[in-house]
Amino acid sequence: MKSPAYKVVVTLASLIFGFAIIGAAVYWQLEYGERSGGDPGAVSGDRAFTTEELAEHDGVSGNDCYVAVDGDVYLIEGFALWQMGQHLPSNGRASCGYDLTDVIDESPHGRSKLQLLQKVGTLT
Ligand code: HEM
């Protein structure tokens, strides 16, 4: 038989240990959570891209498809006419990872499709 005092001490120690674990987890998440994993700023809409960083988003090998128009960078996702980093009706003129400001002016739809796209940042 354990004494009541022993039970109180064990309960308190368990509580303190438990809160310490939770506190450490919360601290870890706040301190390091934002920086871990994936593409930082991918959905924030305000990331600055160099031409080289834009080119990494070529829509193949699991990369997202990003394109730039007029200095804004857009995510292209979920469109049947964009496959494997290529815009099928464009005959190779519109590909992911490039500044397509001049190309979009040659398209039948012009800038009207931009409103369907999520802006992820700007091209520096
Ligand atoms: C020479 C270049 C291009 C050609 C010939 C072209 C042609 C087309 C055609 C024929 C369509 C289907 C008809 C329509 O929805 O209006 C289409 C759809 C679309 N285009 Fe283009 N386009 C070009 C460039 C671009 C560029 C540069 C962008 C983005 C920056 C773009 C984004 C889209 C989107 C988002 C759709 C809708 C796709 C879908 O619903 O599956 N296009 N394009």
Side-chain angles (χ1 to χ4, degrees):
M1 273 298 281
K2 308 289 187 194
S3 71
Y6 176 83
K7 287 181 185 170
V8 169
V9 168
V10 169
T11 305
L12 283 176
S14 304
L15 283 173
I16 290 166
F17 187 67
F19 281 122
I21 296 281
I22 292 168
V26 170
Y27 173 82
W28 184 267
Q29 178 62 29
L30 289 176
E31 187 66 19
Y32 303 106
E34 301 240 316
R35 272 177 255 157
S36 66
D39 201 355
V43 293
S44 72
D46 59 1
R47 180 176 162 191
F49 290 86
T50 62
T51 306
E52 291 74 24
E53 288 166 337
L54 177 64
E56 288 165 12
H57 297 85
D58 59 3
V60 294
S61 312
N63 298 328
D64 282 336
C65 170
Y66 289 1
V67 302
V69 175
D70 290 334
D72 290 326
V73 177
Y74 299 92
L75 167 68
I76 295 190
E77 188 175 65
F79 294 106
L81 295 179
W82 285 82
Q83 303 279 347
M84 311 280 290
Q86 297 290 325
H87 187 27
L88 302 180
S90 77
N91 280 323
R93 280 173 290 175
S95 307
C96 304
Y98 291 94
D99 183 343
L100 301 179
T101 304
D102 296 333
V103 175
I104 203 167
D105 288 334
E106 300 167 19
S107 73
H109 49 66
R111 316 265 154 139
S112 65
K113 299 294 178 190
L114 295 182
Q115 64 192 19
L116 303 175
L117 308 178
Q118 183 194 337
K119 184 185 161 184
V120 292
T122 51
L123 192 62
T124 52

